[in-house]
Amino acid sequence: MNIADHIASDVECMRDYFTRLLAFAKASSRTLSPNRAGGPQLLPFGIACFVRPDMACNVYNLVDFWLARLCLYHQPRGHLSPSFEDFKKDKRKRGRNDLQTYAKYLTKVARLDLSAEQPSLCHIDDLRVVRNVFMHAGGHVHLLPDRMRERIERMPGVSLEMKLVVVTAQFIWQSLDHASQYLQAIARA
């Protein structure tokens, strides 16, 4: 099995897992369970408000995992200098974040033409921002600078509800599609 096949397998496993999770979340949202005080529990989005953020993080983790491997994969193929490890350590060369560092290495050092994949990279960068809000701010937008909040408000499939970031199932599926397309393009380059 080559690297593109491994990526395709991971994406399909994630797609199946997400389908099951969303079905479970939908079925579970029909029943209200009592809270500890005995009254109905207020979860306006059902348990999907917990499931979808985790799914967004899972998609970004898939991208992060495979991009690191793909950089290493392309390194010996082109006898590249600097190595990916050296490139990551050089603050003058690396990007502002890991996603940008991977993209710079693959386009500048490995010299892959990924211009056709720019829309996917932009979507993955939006996913990275959303994932970071979930991971570092618990999904709370009131803890973010105004420019970050405004960026999130412009993202299709992402909304702000009661000071929390909410992602739709459509955003998750689009993120997985963009991740697959971007990773496959690199694997096959």
Side-chain angles (χ1 to χ4, degrees):
M1 188 182 285
N2 64 34
I3 198 163
D5 292 338
H6 281 286
I7 292 168
S9 176
D10 282 359
V11 168
E12 285 311 306
C13 286
M14 193 170 278
R15 195 176 304 281
D16 182 54
Y17 175 59
F18 287 177
T19 299
R20 292 169 191 239
L21 272 178
L22 288 171
F24 174 75
K26 185 176 182 178
S28 299
S29 67
R30 293 188 193 120
T31 60
L32 285 177
S33 59
N35 63 21
R36 289 189 179 141
Q41 185 172 335
L42 177 62
L43 285 176
F45 301 102
I47 66 165
C49 66
F50 302 113
V51 171
R52 289 191 305 252
D54 185 56
M55 293 165 87
C57 293
N58 284 333
V59 174
Y60 188 77
N61 291 343
L62 173 88
V63 170
D64 189 54
F65 173 84
W66 278 112
L67 281 177
R69 270 69 196 162
L70 287 164
C71 286
L72 295 172
Y73 172 76
H74 282 286
Q75 181 181 304
R77 293 177 78 208
H79 306 288
L80 303 176
S81 181
S83 70
F84 178 60
E85 291 302 318
D86 290 341
F87 185 83
K88 277 190 341 186
K89 293 175 188 172
D90 189 339
K91 291 183 180 186
R92 293 170 295 147
K93 293 180 181 174
R94 64 174 281 125
R96 291 184 312 249
N97 56 63
D98 285 346
L99 181 61
Q100 199 175 65
T101 299
Y102 296 135
K104 281 179 83 171
Y105 184 81
L106 291 165
T107 57
K108 305 283 188 222
V109 179
R111 295 194 172 127
L112 302 183
D113 180 10
L114 299 174
S115 55
E117 306 311 321
Q118 194 61 32
S120 289
L121 180 59
C122 289
H123 185 93
I124 293 167
D125 191 50
D126 284 347
L127 174 65
R128 178 190 61 80
V129 169
V130 169
R131 177 248 181 222
N132 285 347
V133 172
F134 289 136
M135 296 302 293
H136 303 295
H140 295 269
V141 293
H142 66 279
L143 301 173
L144 303 175
D146 288 340
R147 64 178 171 73
M148 187 69 68
R149 196 168 34 252
E150 290 165 3
R151 179 177 177 182
I152 291 170
E153 287 175 326
R154 289 190 306 268
M155 293 178 190
V158 181
S159 61
L160 306 179
E161 305 287 337
M162 302 179 347
K163 297 185 180 180
L164 291 173
V165 174
V166 176
V167 294
T168 63
Q170 180 183 5
F171 178 79
I172 300 300
W173 293 125
Q174 288 174 342
S175 296
L176 189 57
D177 290 343
H178 281 290
S180 178
Q181 182 176 336
Y182 188 67
L183 294 172
Q184 287 294 338
I186 296 166
R188 293 193 169 123

